[in-house]
Amino acid sequence: VELQTIGGGGEEIDLEDSGPRTQGRWLAPMIPTSRVPKLLREVLPQADLDDVQWRPIAWRAWRRIFKRWAVLVAISTLAGAVFLDPWAAAFGTAAMPLAYVHSHLYVKHAGYALTAWGLLFRTGWWERTTKIVGYGKIQTVGREESPFDRHNDMASVRVDTAGAEMIGHTIVIPYLEAEVAAEVSRHLYEESSRRNFRL
């Protein structure tokens, strides 16, 4: 469990300085999963992970993920067969089912939650990550649509927290239905605007 902070130690933040400005503090480098909710309640008293209502990303997103991996596998297989060894074609035979499984598991385990106090986003099926940010820490909220998103009537919601450009602490919820993305981004904007922004 890691806590991302900016300008720790009571020091002033020099935005013109190109040197290190942020800190990642380990709350618990190694902790049993069952103890995580209790630890987070000590740090964020309002956070109750036992009562979180998770919402899924668009289920049909698996097709987009699979197509992207299938193209990469096909290109790699073709290049290997032409420039290395014809037996490299066997790589594609083995990798394509893995891409199919990965795309389904990615969608199955990805999700977000809008609570009374903040946003949660989880992703990953092999290495699972959950990010949490309180509404008072949100700096900007955006809705993003790539050409592929528009073609599939989807969008992503991007949330930048305090010092996001310096520590890379950005939450991006991908593969949402366009209407859902609009609703989520509007909710985040309204909730964060009601609170005093704090570093």
Side-chain angles (χ1 to χ4, degrees):
V1 178
E2 184 179 11
L3 174 68
Q4 291 283 359
T5 62
I6 178 171
E11 298 179 357
E12 294 184 0
I13 303 171
D14 184 1
L15 298 179
E16 300 298 327
D17 181 17
S18 59
R21 301 179 289 278
T22 61
Q23 298 175 338
R25 297 179 178 176
W26 284 106
L27 295 179
M30 188 73 67
I31 184 174
T33 305
S34 59
R35 293 179 56 191
V36 171
K38 181 180 178 181
L39 172 63
L40 292 179
R41 280 195 297 270
E42 294 179 5
V43 179
L44 300 170
Q46 71 275 32
D48 186 2
L49 299 188
D50 295 327
D51 196 33
V52 170
Q53 301 295 320
W54 291 101
R55 305 181 186 183
I57 62 175
W59 173 248
R60 59 192 179 96
W62 76 266
R63 295 187 185 92
R64 294 182 57 190
I65 299 171
F66 175 68
K67 288 178 182 178
R68 184 176 63 205
W69 279 98
V71 169
L72 292 176
V73 169
I75 293 175
S76 301
T77 300
L78 180 61
V82 171
F83 297 105
L84 297 177
D85 191 308
W87 283 101
F91 168 77
T93 304
M96 205 64 77
L98 294 177
Y100 180 84
V101 172
H102 165 74
S103 61
H104 276 81
L105 290 177
Y106 179 94
V107 174
K108 178 181 178 180
H109 291 281
Y112 67 97
L114 303 173
T115 69
W117 50 268
L119 166 70
L120 298 90
F121 175 63
R122 65 183 182 186
T123 188
W125 60 271
W126 183 259
E127 291 188 8
R128 300 181 182 179
T129 300
T130 301
K131 293 185 177 183
I132 304 172
V133 60
Y135 293 128
K137 293 288 187 178
I138 294 178
Q139 191 170 16
T140 61
V141 177
R143 185 166 52 122
E144 301 176 343
E145 296 179 357
S146 69
F148 298 105
D149 284 327
R150 289 192 293 273
H151 177 73
N152 290 277
D153 197 26
M154 292 183 179
S156 299
V157 173
R158 177 189 178 98
V159 174
D160 292 322
T161 61
E165 293 183 356
M166 292 174 276
I167 63 178
H169 190 58
T170 297
I171 297 178
V172 178
I173 309 175
Y175 303 118
L176 295 176
E177 302 289 355
E179 292 183 0
V180 174
E183 175 188 342
V184 171
S185 59
R186 181 170 56 251
H187 175 85
L188 293 173
Y189 172 78
E190 291 175 352
E191 289 293 335
S192 60
S193 64
R194 294 191 186 110
R195 293 162 171 81
N196 293 325
F197 176 73
R198 297 178 294 108
L199 284 176

